[in-house]
Amino acid sequence: MREFIIADNQDITKAGMMFLLSKQKDTSLLLEADNKAELIQQLRLHPAAVVILDYTLFDFSGAEELIVLHERFKETDWLLFSDELSIPFLRQVLFSSMAFGVILKDNSKEEILTALQCTSRKERFICNHASNLLLSGRNASSPAHPAIKDNLLTPAERSILKEIALGKTTKEIAADRNLSFHTVNSHRKNIFRKLGVNNAHEATKYAMKAGIVDLVEYYI
């Protein structure tokens, strides 16, 4: 029997994962973490849990910080569960430890269930899409971040990236612009994909390097 920590701050995703896990016979306890601080607190209490983590929604500084967190809690098993993860990130994390597995949010229900079952048994699971990306060798020689280019993002994407870098949430950006959450979230995903980053912290570093936001604005 395993304890599960769902580390994700999207309510609909958490609800769906809670439902799937509640049907599993080997689930002893279901816990939630909406941010990195809550995740660490849960790991202190349940160091041998399975963590289902959407890395892109948490403020990790990079793959190295996630790897260090696993080193701190060596009995933890991790299932990375995101919309999209960059190939350099996948290579670094998956090659660091067999404790990390990957499933994407647009995978089938059957593949997600298989991933949960394998991780619960301490068996690594990597979904077909992530496996194909890793085996194809695409971007193997690419840097973790693309060169800074002015035309990489559209004007609207640059504007939204600036607001992300200044700490605004997707809900706040949507409200300020009179847009739906879904529209802003789609922009966010496109920005991260174009920049080759996985979360807001990495996007902020890019924004500062590209001059989209400066230090004065960032620290006001």
Side-chain angles (χ1 to χ4, degrees):
M1 301 288 285
R2 299 295 302 272
E3 300 167 332
F4 287 82
I5 302 171
I6 303 173
D8 193 311
N9 57 30
Q10 292 182 330
D11 291 339
I12 190 66
T13 303
K14 286 193 295 185
M17 187 57 70
M18 294 282 274
F19 174 79
L20 291 178
L21 286 170
S22 68
K23 303 298 182 181
Q24 303 299 304
K25 295 180 180 179
D26 54 358
T27 300
S28 65
L29 183 64
L30 291 175
L31 305 158
E32 298 180 35
D34 287 339
N35 53 57
K36 186 172 64 178
E38 289 183 9
L39 172 58
I40 293 172
Q41 179 61 30
Q42 293 285 22
L43 285 172
R44 290 194 184 108
L45 298 173
H46 310 278
V50 174
V51 176
I52 302 168
L53 170 68
D54 189 336
Y55 172 84
T56 66
L57 299 178
F58 280 28
D59 58 341
F60 286 98
S61 60
E64 295 84 359
E65 185 179 5
L66 180 58
I67 293 169
V68 168
L69 187 59
H70 169 61
E71 288 298 314
R72 180 177 173 186
F73 300 99
K74 293 182 181 294
E75 296 303 311
T76 302
D77 291 294
W78 302 79
L79 184 61
L80 303 177
F81 185 52
S82 299
D83 288 306
E84 188 173 358
L85 293 166
S86 66
I87 294 176
F89 170 83
L90 287 173
R91 288 183 181 277
Q92 186 171 357
V93 173
L94 294 178
F95 293 169
S96 72
S97 172
M98 290 293 291
F100 290 102
V102 179
I103 188 75
L104 300 180
K105 290 186 175 180
D106 61 357
N107 285 139
S108 67
K109 176 184 175 182
E110 291 71 23
E111 196 167 9
I112 293 173
L113 285 172
T114 301
L116 293 173
Q117 292 162 2
C118 288
T119 309
S120 179
R121 298 193 298 264
K122 286 190 166 293
E123 299 172 3
R124 167 136 75 175
F125 182 91
I126 301 176
C127 70
N128 289 331
H129 181 68
S131 296
N132 291 336
L133 288 177
L134 293 168
L135 292 172
S136 70
R138 278 194 313 163
N139 294 346
S141 60
S142 298
H145 301 285
I148 303 298
K149 297 179 181 178
D150 289 337
N151 62 352
L152 196 60
L153 302 177
T154 66
E157 289 170 342
R158 287 174 63 89
S159 178
I160 289 175
L161 173 58
K162 180 174 181 177
E163 295 189 67
I164 291 172
L166 292 175
K168 289 189 177 181
T169 66
T170 302
K171 290 180 181 178
E172 289 171 338
I173 296 171
D176 290 345
R177 293 170 175 263
N178 292 316
L179 297 172
S180 70
F181 178 90
H182 175 75
T183 297
V184 176
N185 198 43
S186 294
H187 279 303
R188 177 188 175 104
K189 291 177 184 177
N190 287 335
I191 291 167
F192 286 11
R193 175 179 53 79
K194 289 181 178 181
L195 300 185
V197 302
N198 296 288
N199 58 26
H201 185 93
E202 295 173 3
T204 297
K205 290 194 289 186
Y206 181 98
M208 295 175 74
K209 289 178 182 178
I212 295 172
V213 63
D214 60 38
L215 289 174
V216 174
E217 291 178 297
Y218 184 72
Y219 286 108
I220 286 178

